[in-house]
Amino acid sequence: EGQVVESGGGLVPPGGSLRLSCAASGFTFHDYAMAWVRQVPGKAPEWVSAINSKGESTYYLESVKGRFTISRDNAKNTLYLQLNSLEPEDTAVYHCAKHPGALIYSRYEGLSVNYAADAYGEGTLVAVSS
């Protein structure tokens, strides 16, 4: 199933930017769709963004559309999430997730992480505060 390791989180003021990275190993990265999931303690995980194996199709949570951009570099086995115009409500631990296939899902609301992610990282903390 492989491993994924996130990096790039930190503390930023409202309106700031961060770039998260996810280094993948142990599987053929370019064969699988990938995603970012965020979680706040005490709340359910939330699918933030996803990208298919070729980088042609993407999904974004409505509240991050126009502010976050997902991308991947299949030559470097790395997934990225560019976070711009950050808001306090974006504060969470951001996890990288590997989907079990090449395609993204048609619907992410209510999608179980246990069902749709067969590799899941420990996460990186994004904190937005003045």
Side-chain angles (χ1 to χ4, degrees):
E1 294 165 346
Q3 292 186 324
V4 292
V5 179
E6 307 90 340
S7 61
L11 173 63
V12 295
S17 296
L18 284 172
R19 188 193 197 201
L20 306 185
S21 298
C22 168
S25 62
F27 63 97
T28 308
F29 183 72
H30 64 250
D31 282 346
Y32 294 95
M34 299 292 295
W36 290 96
V37 179
R38 69 185 181 187
Q39 187 166 20
V40 175
K43 294 189 176 181
E46 185 174 51
W47 295 91
V48 176
S49 187
I51 188 167
N52 75 338
S53 62
K54 296 182 179 180
E56 298 166 339
S57 299
T58 57
Y59 158 81
Y60 292 99
L61 180 68
E62 189 64 34
S63 63
V64 309
K65 283 182 180 178
R67 301 189 298 119
F68 292 8
T69 303
I70 192 170
S71 62
R72 63 190 297 159
D73 186 335
N74 285 346
K76 295 183 178 180
N77 290 350
T78 304
L79 176 73
Y80 303 100
L81 186 68
Q82 178 68 41
L83 292 69
N84 295 332
S85 303
L86 281 161
E87 303 169 353
E89 293 74 22
D90 296 317
T91 295
V93 176
Y94 284 70
H95 300 267
C96 177
K98 170 186 170 287
H99 281 328
L103 304 179
I104 61 174
Y105 290 83
S106 58
R107 180 182 173 89
Y108 279 84
E109 184 178 356
L111 183 65
S112 165
V113 169
N114 288 338
Y115 173 80
D118 58 6
Y120 197 72
E122 293 293 317
T124 186
L125 175 64
V126 172
V128 185
S129 174
S130 54

